[in-house]
């Protein structure tokens, strides 16, 4: 029995008028009844609040330098200590968290949108279009994405980080696209798709109005999990100097700088490393809980 069936049975037993809840309410109910869903959502919300509201309460900005405090331990003046340059670790860490979260979210949204559109078109149109789109997908799967992004890294400086987001998204969508293609092949044979086709609805409109919305559960979960993948990829690239470029900062650039002084000045490394681990863990908890919530046969999501 699904959640909507349980709710309907309870209302009938109580003698109250029955009203079947919407799918969004059903999914939200299953999500927030799971422990990992509640924990993941609360921690992720706290991370966003810390990243974007935390700087408002700090007396320092990420560009400020305190030339009287180099490599200073955490104190009342500098909550997370200072770097070799005199920068406040708390301020630059939150700035790096902001950039990594924005990059992760945008890259996940762009990659999921690409996967949805390309996979749906490949599955709906058989023959030439399917072969061409599948060939492009297979080609990008075998290309060394890390190496290509590293070669293009000089283009990501001087505030051109949106280009980095687009390039990062171009190497995240292929596997999901193949899954979407397979599901589209099945969905397009259903009665409501056949009825729309017989009524003369254009194929493009059928894809965007009927096919892709029916794959929304897969796409939402994929977008959520892609956030953590994009954050980790951005961190790895920025660690080696191929991602976010100075003077801006991100998790990767801060970890790269902090790793050089982590032994004798651990506050320059462990604060940002800990926030990275917590953020990625929270995103994965939310993604797993959403997957369970969208799956009506899953009992783990209802616990």
């Amino acid at each position: 029995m699904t959640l909507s069936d349980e709710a309907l049975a309870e209302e009938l037993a109580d003698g109250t008028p029955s009203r079947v809840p919407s799918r969004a309410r059903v999914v939200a109910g299953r999500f927030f009844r799971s422990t990992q869903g509640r924990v993941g959502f609360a921690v992720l919300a706290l991370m966003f609040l810390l990243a974007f509201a935390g700087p408002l309460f700090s007396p320092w900005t990420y560009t400020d330098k305190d030339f009287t405090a180099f490599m200073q331990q955490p104190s009342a003046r500098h909550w997370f200590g200072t770097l070799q340059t005199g920068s406040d670790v708390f301020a630059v860490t939150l700035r790096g968290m902001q950039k990594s979260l924005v990059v992760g979210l945008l890259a996940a949204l762009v990659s999921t949108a690409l996967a949805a559109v390309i996979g749906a078109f490949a599955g709906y149109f058989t023959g030439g279009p399917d072969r061409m789109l599948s060939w492009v997908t297979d080609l990008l799967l075998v290309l060394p994405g890390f190496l290509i992004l590293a070669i293009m890294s000089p283009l990501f400086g001087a505030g051109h980080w949106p280009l980095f987001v687009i390039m990062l998204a171009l190497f995240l969508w292929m596997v999901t696209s193949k899954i979407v293609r397979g599901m589209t092949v099945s969905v397009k044979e259903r009665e409501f798709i056949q009825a729309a086709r017989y009524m003369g609805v254009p194929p493009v409109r059928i894809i965007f109005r009927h096919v892709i919305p029916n794959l929304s559960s897969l796409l939402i979960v994929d977008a959520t999990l892609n956030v953590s993948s994009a954050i980790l990829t951005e961190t790895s690239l920025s660690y080696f100097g191929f991602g976010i470029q100075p003077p801006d900062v991100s998790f990767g650039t801060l970890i790269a700088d902090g790793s050089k002084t982590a032994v004798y000045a651990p506050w320059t490394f462990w604060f940002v490393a800990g926030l990275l681990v917590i953020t990625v863990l929270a995103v994965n908890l939310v993604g797993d809980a959403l997957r369970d919530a969208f799956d009506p046969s899953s009992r783990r999501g209802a616990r």
Side-chain angles (χ1 to χ4, degrees):
M1 179 181 291
T2 64
L3 183 61
S4 58
D5 296 331
E6 295 172 357
L8 182 59
E10 291 176 359
E11 289 180 344
L12 291 175
D14 294 339
T16 58
S18 62
R19 184 178 61 183
V20 178
S22 66
R23 187 164 185 257
R25 290 180 58 192
V26 171
V27 171
R30 290 172 62 87
F31 175 83
F32 284 107
R33 269 201 299 275
S34 76
T35 302
Q36 69 175 17
R38 292 194 300 270
V39 172
F41 181 83
V43 173
L44 190 58
L46 182 62
M47 291 297 101
F48 271 92
L49 186 64
L50 176 63
F52 292 96
L56 301 178
F57 300 94
S58 174
W60 304 91
T61 67
Y62 79 100
T63 57
D64 289 342
K65 302 287 191 298
D66 187 352
F67 296 109
T68 64
F70 295 104
M71 298 294 288
Q72 187 181 76
Q73 296 183 9
S75 62
R77 181 176 175 83
H78 296 283
W79 302 337
F80 284 7
T82 60
L83 300 175
Q84 289 176 321
T85 59
S87 297
D88 184 76
V89 175
F90 180 80
V92 297
T93 298
L94 296 192
R95 173 65 179 184
M97 182 186 291
Q98 289 178 9
K99 187 62 68 176
S100 292
L101 287 174
V102 170
V103 168
L105 281 173
L106 292 179
L109 290 175
V110 173
S111 65
T112 302
L114 281 174
V117 173
I118 295 177
F121 272 82
Y124 190 87
F125 296 103
T126 57
D130 182 20
R131 287 193 297 270
M132 182 187 68
L133 292 174
S134 297
W135 180 83
V136 172
T137 303
D138 293 336
L139 176 63
L140 288 175
L141 276 173
V142 300
L143 287 177
F146 192 96
L147 179 60
I148 293 174
L149 289 170
I151 294 173
M152 296 187 63
S153 61
L155 301 177
F156 304 148
H160 293 161
W161 64 267
L163 176 61
F164 173 65
V165 171
I166 294 173
M167 293 302 302
L168 182 60
L170 287 178
F171 292 96
L172 291 176
W173 60 271
M174 292 82 72
V175 174
T176 303
S177 176
K178 286 184 170 292
I179 298 174
V180 170
R181 178 196 173 278
M183 296 180 68
T184 301
V185 171
S186 175
V187 168
K188 74 175 184 179
E189 301 300 329
R190 296 175 64 177
E191 292 81 2
F192 65 94
I193 300 291
Q194 297 285 355
R197 187 181 299 132
Y198 292 145
M199 292 174 62
V201 179
V204 174
R205 187 174 182 183
I206 291 176
I207 289 174
F208 285 102
R209 290 285 300 273
H210 301 291
V211 175
I212 292 179
N214 272 275
L215 305 178
S216 60
S217 58
L218 165 71
L219 298 174
I220 291 173
V221 173
D222 179 74
T224 304
L225 295 177
N226 270 347
V227 172
S228 62
S229 178
I231 290 175
L232 289 175
T233 303
E234 179 276 321
T235 299
S236 301
L237 286 164
S238 297
Y239 180 87
F240 292 105
F242 302 136
I244 301 299
Q245 301 295 311
D248 214 339
V249 294
S250 70
F251 274 147
T253 59
L254 293 175
I255 289 176
D257 292 338
S259 63
K260 302 171 185 175
T261 56
V263 175
Y264 57 90
W267 60 87
T268 62
F269 176 81
W270 290 109
F271 283 120
V272 62
L275 287 174
L276 172 63
V277 171
I278 293 172
T279 301
V280 173
L281 178 61
V283 172
N284 287 336
L285 287 176
V286 170
D288 289 341
L290 277 175
R291 181 173 54 203
D292 293 336
F294 275 110
D295 182 8
S297 64
S298 172
R299 301 310 304 168
R300 190 175 73 175
R303 286 200 295 266

